[in-house]
Amino acid sequence: MFNQWVAFHNPDLFENPETFDPERFIRSPYGTKPGVEERVNVDALKRMETIPFGFGRRRCVVMPMGVESAALAAANLFWAYEFGNLIDGDGDSIEPNLDALTKGLTNHPLPFKCKLKIRSNRHEEIIKQNYTHATPVFEQFERELSKEDRDYVERVRARL
């Protein structure tokens, strides 16, 4: 069994691997230390990006669609919202615990609270227009929603 936690926390490849540092992927396409790409097999680094989708013959066949869909969803969120920390009663920022992860074969952060602020009235207008336009598509997948979820969807749509 492949231990992906060890692979992605290798201090020979990654500067401060325990530190949350998304900017490392701006400095290097694989988030590695300077010079690593000259020392190691770049094909091996490229394969590391797809490890969560499995390996070899058992790899997820729709992996490219999953990767592109996740990138598009993230881009839309960053386009629409400003992200920030919540503020406590004393006016101090509440930092999320970046070490709070699920346990298991693949890890991801446990739920945490943050502040989302729509970037502008125009952004809000565009989101509402697109949501309304997509409603017929969404409705096809809502047939088996619980009553509670159907009520929630109706309340959201009534506000548009």
Side-chain angles (χ1 to χ4, degrees):
M1 172 120 350
F2 179 76
N3 187 336
Q4 60 182 303
W5 188 93
V6 170
F8 288 104
H9 288 79
N10 183 341
D12 294 334
L13 298 177
F14 303 99
E15 192 77 43
N16 301 317
E18 297 293 330
T19 303
F20 179 71
D21 179 18
E23 286 84 13
R24 75 178 74 215
F25 294 95
I26 294 172
R27 295 187 296 268
S28 162
Y30 305 108
T32 54
K33 288 180 177 179
V36 165
E37 293 170 37
E38 289 80 38
R39 293 191 338 256
V40 300
N41 181 341
V42 175
D43 287 337
L45 290 174
K46 286 180 182 175
R47 284 193 299 274
M48 285 179 72
E49 341 179 281
T50 61
I51 285 172
F53 293 96
F55 327 103
R57 294 182 305 167
R58 290 180 173 58
R59 181 177 66 93
C60 177
V61 295
V62 292
M63 176 195 63
M65 184 177 77
V67 169
E68 296 301 321
S69 295
L72 185 58
N76 280 314
L77 287 171
F78 289 122
W79 169 83
Y81 297 97
E82 294 175 8
F83 290 79
N85 292 332
L86 292 177
I87 306 298
D88 67 16
D90 296 327
D92 296 324
S93 176
I94 302 171
E95 298 285 330
N97 179 357
L98 301 177
D99 294 322
L101 303 171
T102 60
K103 307 275 189 251
L105 185 61
T106 60
N107 297 337
H108 59 272
L110 291 172
F112 61 91
K113 294 184 178 184
C114 67
K115 181 174 80 175
L116 291 174
K117 181 182 173 212
I118 195 84
R119 290 192 180 271
S120 72
N121 290 339
R122 180 67 181 136
H123 284 83
E124 183 175 9
E125 186 180 308
I126 292 169
I127 292 167
K128 286 180 178 180
Q129 286 173 352
N130 282 300
Y131 179 80
T132 301
H133 180 73
T135 296
V137 175
F138 294 149
E139 288 173 337
Q140 297 174 48
F141 302 98
E142 295 171 358
R143 292 186 183 104
E144 296 182 28
L145 289 178
S146 68
K147 174 153 178 30
E148 179 183 8
D149 289 339
R150 274 195 310 275
D151 291 345
Y152 173 78
V153 169
E154 286 177 23
R155 285 193 308 272
V156 168
R157 289 189 179 135
R159 289 189 305 222
L160 297 178

